[in-house]
Amino acid sequence: MYDVREWRHVFKLDPNKPIDDELLERVCESGTDAIVVGGSDGVTLDNVLDLMVRVRRFPLPCVLEVSSLEIVTPGFDLYLIPTVLNTNRAEWITGLHVEAMKEYGDLMDPGELIVEGYCIANPDCKAAKLTGVSEKPDTEDVIAYARLAGHLWKLPVFYLEYSGTYGDVEAVQQAADVLKGTETVFFYGGGIQTAQQAKEIGQYADVVVVGNAVYEKPEEALKTVAAVQK
Ligand code: 1GP
């Protein structure tokens, strides 16, 4: 079984964005620890399955981040299940999850499911709009959400999400300090475009997530792997 506690780097690929075979091969053979299939916009069962089949040709974990019930499908190695800690819309905290339990509860393998406690720190990103996060958490808030995830709820993953913008390094560092000594794995995602940025964040986050850069600056994106691997 794959263990997120051993990861340092993942590429998050958006099923709604085209990627040619050559780049996909380079991404999958880059030495990254896993491919996460996920996005907020235009994600359908068809494009999820299409990307899954293409990633499956390579020997690394292929993971689905479940952003809606429509895209739930067997065939992935793991399923990351976001719960948004800093929204006040209950459907994004437990509502959709309860629906999923009703629909798929009997079919699920709990060993393949990993809950991610999301703190969405960029209110302009699509995930924030979708889930109703309108305020940017300040450093004190981020620390509190990290504590909530790591100390109180003891979630497997705390995900600090700056999607599309490079994060506040001070907040990242403080969240990492809070999570030290807990079982909660600290994922950071957002705006990593260069090896230098990956290295900076990788000093603090357990797992560095690189998304958009794959499509926008592929050569730089590929260099982020070596920048954070042990
Ligand atoms: C998005 O955290 C990921 O969910 C990665 O963010 O696309 O900005 O790299 P970027």
Side-chain angles (χ1 to χ4, degrees), residues 163-228:
S163 182
T165 53
Y166 190 60
D168 172 358
V169 178
E170 169 72 18
V172 175
Q173 180 173 8
Q174 301 241 23
D177 283 348
V178 158
L179 292 169
K180 247 180 225 142
T182 71
E183 293 288 303
T184 301
V185 179
F186 180 18
F187 280 45
Y188 168 95
I192 293 188
Q193 301 260 344
T194 66
Q196 179 50 39
Q197 289 171 329
K199 197 171 177 182
E200 181 172 45
I201 295 296
Q203 298 173 79
Y204 310 115
D206 298 314
V207 179
V208 171
V209 182
V210 177
N212 278 320
V214 171
Y215 305 92
E216 289 166 7
K217 292 189 178 173
E219 297 306 324
E220 283 300 317
L222 289 163
K223 291 181 194 153
T224 61
V225 181
V228 300

Side-chain angles (χ1 to χ4, degrees), residues 41-126:
D41 216 35
V43 179
T44 64
L45 185 56
D46 276 352
N47 57 26
V48 164
L49 287 172
D50 182 63
L51 189 53
M52 179 186 84
V53 168
R54 294 175 68 205
V55 172
R56 273 258 162 264
R57 295 167 30 229
F58 302 95
L60 82 172
C62 181
V63 179
L64 180 65
E65 186 169 60
V66 181
S67 53
S68 77
L69 293 183
E70 291 76 53
I71 64 166
V72 174
T73 177
F76 285 89
D77 294 306
L78 286 175
Y79 297 83
L80 298 174
I81 317 291
T83 179
V84 181
L85 305 177
N86 63 324
T87 180
N88 46 25
R89 292 200 196 150
E91 74 257 38
W92 294 103
I93 309 170
T94 57
L96 290 163
H97 312 72
V98 172
E99 279 186 39
M101 295 306 123
K102 286 182 186 164
E103 204 161 327
Y104 302 108
D106 289 341
L107 306 169
M108 288 175 352
D109 174 353
E112 294 176 349
L113 307 179
I114 297 174
V115 174
E116 307 169 299
Y118 257 73
C119 176
I120 302 182
N122 171 14
D124 296 323
C125 74
K126 284 180 194 155

